[in-house]
Amino acid sequence: MDIYQAVLRPIVFSGLKSDPEFLHQQFMQILTWLDCNADRPLNSWIPNQLEKNLSIADARLEQTLWDHPNQTGVGSEDSTPTSQSSIIIPQSVVFKNPMGLAAGFDKNGTASGMWSNFGFGYAELGTVTLKPQPGNPTPRLFRLLADRAALNRMGFNNDGAATMASALTAALQRRPRSMPVGINLGKSKVTPLEEAAADYLGSFRLLKDLGDYFVVNVSSPNTPGLRTLQDAPMLSAILSALQQENQKANKPILVKIAPDLEWDAILDVLDVTLHYNLAGIIATNTTISREGLKTEILRETGNLVKDEAGGISGLPLKERSTEVIRFIRKETKGKLPIMGVGGIFTSDDAWEKITAGACLLQTYTGWIYQGPFMVKRILQGLLAKLEETGLSNISEAVGIDVD
């Protein structure tokens, strides 16, 4: 156990009883300042030390996604792409390792240059909306310590797509990007559901040259009505608009789904995803289920957890997200890349999701609980599992328990 888990986490989680969102904001301010002032000697020393202690470079962990059209179902019997999307072959992206930072941590992309120093192979920024919005009333982020989980009802609080575009442009002017960056797109709360396609399109137009891949987030439980956009007709309208705009940029576009969908609903999403030649699926977002939670009362409000709005992330999500990954892998026969997220704390958790069908992984809550050395420990564990199984690259392990 490292110093974070032994000393710092107990102080931060229990001793200080500080608002988790406040602590997150302070951490982001420090990283943003370091990122914006990396040209100063002392400031460059700190990221270099982080990278030295927290990163692993090993060719066996590297993957290139979207370097072959058949990965996304193009030309397969299962896909009937529209004429507007049939010419889109997503640009290939090289990931030095499969561990990524999930959306929700760096909402405005202000620390995009820092995440590789923590050992991540990529980072997903956002969720960003076309219009700036404050999100839901506070408090809106809670720790469920007994469950190794978090409950959040943030509500896509962010400074808007134009502000993120400015931040990412400035970051690229300071220094080249050292790892892939994804951008997670959400719907502005004030935008009516019937105008959602235009809202997503507006954000994509502002950011399409600044992200290595993009995610259509229609699965957060914290924006009223948003999950209805997972229904095939509404999702089709959004994806059609984005892929029409994407014909020249050829950016990989993925869709992020909820873990609470029934199997038939997931099949509908997969049909639409293949029809519009999307680059993959992110499985999954937070869950609205409260089943099996050990925490009954939310200390900050005094209310029953089952009566509190918001999505649960962390360990309670692990099994369901893996089930969804396995289902998608089986149904698409491996033609659709999957990013797996939900309840990853250890290398065993990561290996389980990879062998179920996830080629890439994302963490947020697990990283908060386990600390900054978590990514390195997981990657070391994955390398050990490759040696145990006689595999030469992590890509060879993707879906082996399903295939």
Side-chain angles (χ1 to χ4, degrees):
M1 183 178 292
D2 58 51
I3 191 172
Y4 175 84
Q5 295 187 58
V7 180
L8 296 180
R9 189 179 72 183
I11 294 174
V12 172
F13 276 30
S14 301
L16 295 178
K17 290 185 171 61
S18 299
D19 174 30
E21 185 177 357
F22 171 78
L23 293 175
H24 178 266
Q25 290 171 345
Q26 299 306 303
F27 182 58
M28 284 303 304
Q29 286 181 11
I30 293 170
L31 293 187
T32 299
W33 187 84
L34 286 171
D35 199 14
C36 292
N37 295 277
D39 55 335
R40 301 181 183 181
L42 177 60
N43 295 355
S44 62
W45 180 85
I46 295 174
N48 289 340
Q49 289 301 304
L50 288 172
E51 185 169 1
K52 179 180 177 181
N53 289 284
L54 302 179
S55 299
I56 287 181
D58 193 303
R60 292 172 294 172
L61 297 172
E62 186 174 304
Q63 296 175 87
T64 300
L65 262 63
W66 308 300
D67 60 342
H68 192 287
N70 286 337
Q71 272 193 308
T72 54
V74 178
S76 72
E77 295 178 1
D78 298 318
S79 84
T80 53
T82 62
S83 58
Q84 69 188 44
S85 64
S86 59
I87 63 171
I88 296 176
I89 299 175
Q91 295 176 355
S92 62
V93 180
V94 177
F95 297 86
K96 293 182 179 179
N97 73 64
M99 287 299 297
L101 180 72
F105 209 104
D106 190 352
K107 289 179 176 291
N108 296 304
T110 56
S112 62
M114 287 296 298
W115 299 117
S116 62
N117 302 119
F118 289 93
F120 289 108
Y122 68 106
E124 192 168 303
L125 311 177
T127 297
V128 64
T129 55
L130 179 59
K131 300 174 183 178
Q133 56 188 43
N136 293 323
T138 57
R140 55 194 180 182
L141 179 61
F142 310 92
R143 303 186 191 99
L144 309 183
L145 298 181
D147 298 285
R148 298 176 76 193
L151 185 153
N152 94 80
R153 47 173 178 258
M154 304 299 289
F156 289 167
N157 55 305
N158 73 101
D159 295 335
T163 299
M164 177 183 278
S166 297
L168 294 180
T169 299
L172 288 170
Q173 290 172 346
R174 287 193 296 270
R175 61 186 182 277
R177 189 171 284 166
S178 59
M179 69 175 190
V181 164
I183 299 177
N184 189 295
L185 307 176
K187 183 189 76 69
S188 306
K189 185 176 181 179
V190 297
T191 300
L193 289 172
E194 59 270 20
E195 298 175 16
D199 194 85
Y200 283 94
L201 179 59
S203 294
F204 182 65
R205 281 175 172 163
L206 289 169
L207 294 161
K208 64 182 180 181
D209 295 326
L210 298 167
D212 295 293
Y213 72 87
F214 289 82
V215 179
V216 180
N217 188 342
V218 288
S219 52
S220 170
N222 301 316
T223 296
L226 186 76
R227 287 193 168 190
T228 64
L229 297 178
Q230 293 174 115
D231 295 342
M234 302 193 79
L235 183 58
S236 293
I238 296 169
L239 300 183
S240 176
L242 291 178
Q243 289 291 55
Q244 182 67 37
E245 181 70 22
N246 193 31
Q247 287 191 62
K248 292 183 179 180
N250 289 332
K251 295 288 183 173
I253 297 179
L254 300 87
V255 63
K256 188 171 186 175
I257 64 172
D260 309 302
L261 290 176
E262 299 292 338
W263 299 123
D264 286 347
I266 294 177
L267 286 175
D268 288 342
V269 172
L270 294 179
D271 285 342
V272 174
T273 298
L274 291 170
H275 183 73
Y276 286 98
N277 191 19
L278 288 206
I281 294 275
I282 297 186
T284 62
N285 213 319
T286 57
T287 179
I288 57 174
S289 171
R290 303 296 188 259
E291 184 178 352
L293 290 179
K294 299 175 183 177
T295 307
E296 296 183 359
I297 303 293
L298 205 56
R299 184 193 67 196
E300 293 84 350
T301 67
N303 299 328
L304 293 171
V305 172
K306 68 181 182 65
D307 295 330
E308 292 281 0
I312 299 288
S313 61
L315 199 59
L317 188 58
K318 183 177 76 168
E319 290 187 11
R320 176 58 182 173
S321 66
T322 303
E323 286 178 352
V324 174
I325 291 166
R326 188 176 290 112
F327 179 81
I328 295 171
R329 176 74 179 191
K330 182 179 178 181
E331 293 297 324
T332 63
K333 299 178 175 62
K335 295 169 183 170
L336 198 65
I338 304 167
M339 293 185 180
V341 55
I344 299 173
F345 285 71
T346 68
S347 58
D348 287 338
D349 300 334
W351 184 253
E352 184 179 41
K353 280 183 166 50
I354 289 170
T355 56
C359 51
L360 296 173
L361 307 170
Q362 296 182 351
T363 182
Y364 183 146
T365 306
W367 196 55
I368 297 301
Y369 275 85
Q370 299 295 93
F373 284 93
M374 185 190 100
V375 174
K376 183 175 183 178
R377 284 197 296 266
I378 287 179
L379 295 178
Q380 288 172 330
L382 292 179
L383 288 171
K385 290 182 183 297
L386 288 179
E387 292 178 2
E388 291 170 9
T389 54
L391 302 177
S392 59
N393 186 275
I394 197 68
S395 61
E396 297 173 10
V398 176
I400 58 174
D401 283 353
V402 177
D403 301 341

